[in-house]
Amino acid sequence: MTLSATISQRPVKPIAECQPATSRLVTDGPRTATPTDPAADDFLLPLLDVARHINAYADSLARAHGLTQPQLVVIARLKRKPRLSLEELAAHAGMTPEALARLIDELEARSLVERRCDPADGRIWLRPTADAAPLLHDIKLLRANLQRLARNGL
């Protein structure tokens, strides 16, 4: 799942269960922000712009390595959290475990990911291979660049 898709997901409570914005207005004192105030838009619109830029950078990096963005996300997650279950990894990638299994097969065929058996409990764990090192290096550079942009402003 892309960052902008994550940001634009529905709220936890359905809209019908939320109280109307007018019931939160304070009449005796300074006016509080409501979802339709321009001040609220000043926060959300740049946030969505940031998400769009992050997705564009990630998509560009994935294409440069001949990958898709979900493949890039899976490899990055495996590097940071190598002992994720298939279900957890699928949730991070925004796909079903079945689709993730096919994606992992593709990455394994390209020698970017390997399956390892845990001798203690026999479970299969995934990890990036040495062939994924250039990609992981570029992901690290991308993260550093995005962090720099976030600190210094877009």
Side-chain angles (χ1 to χ4, degrees):
M1 179 178 295
T2 62
L3 183 59
S4 60
T6 302
I7 290 172
S8 63
Q9 282 183 337
R10 293 185 175 158
V12 177
K13 288 175 28 176
I15 293 174
E17 294 178 19
C18 295
Q19 292 182 345
T22 56
S23 66
R24 289 180 288 205
L25 292 176
V26 177
T27 55
D28 296 338
R31 188 170 167 241
T32 60
T34 63
T36 57
D37 279 344
D41 289 342
D42 286 345
F43 169 73
L44 294 176
L45 294 177
L47 184 61
L48 290 172
D49 284 342
V50 168
R52 186 175 47 79
H53 285 291
I54 290 171
N55 282 326
Y57 286 136
D59 192 49
S60 175
L61 177 62
R63 278 188 277 119
H65 286 272
L67 300 171
T68 63
Q69 200 175 82
Q71 289 171 325
L72 182 79
V73 168
V74 166
I75 291 172
R77 286 288 179 182
L78 288 174
K79 178 64 179 170
R80 292 186 102 174
K81 294 186 175 187
R83 293 201 165 240
L84 288 175
S85 70
L86 189 67
E87 290 78 20
E88 291 169 323
L89 191 55
H92 285 294
M95 58 180 52
T96 65
E98 295 80 14
L100 178 64
R102 288 190 300 275
L103 185 143
I104 290 168
D105 289 342
E106 294 168 10
L107 292 174
E108 191 174 32
R110 296 182 65 174
S111 299
L112 295 172
V113 169
E114 66 182 352
R115 290 175 167 97
R116 289 289 183 143
C117 183
D118 188 331
D121 60 15
R123 288 190 282 181
I124 302 295
W125 297 107
L126 302 167
R127 72 175 194 179
T129 64
D131 290 348
L135 172 63
L136 292 169
H137 176 73
D138 287 350
I139 291 170
K140 185 177 181 180
L141 293 176
L142 174 65
R143 281 188 183 127
N145 186 34
L146 290 172
Q147 288 172 350
R148 182 186 54 77
L149 286 171
R151 278 194 307 272
N152 298 335
L154 290 173

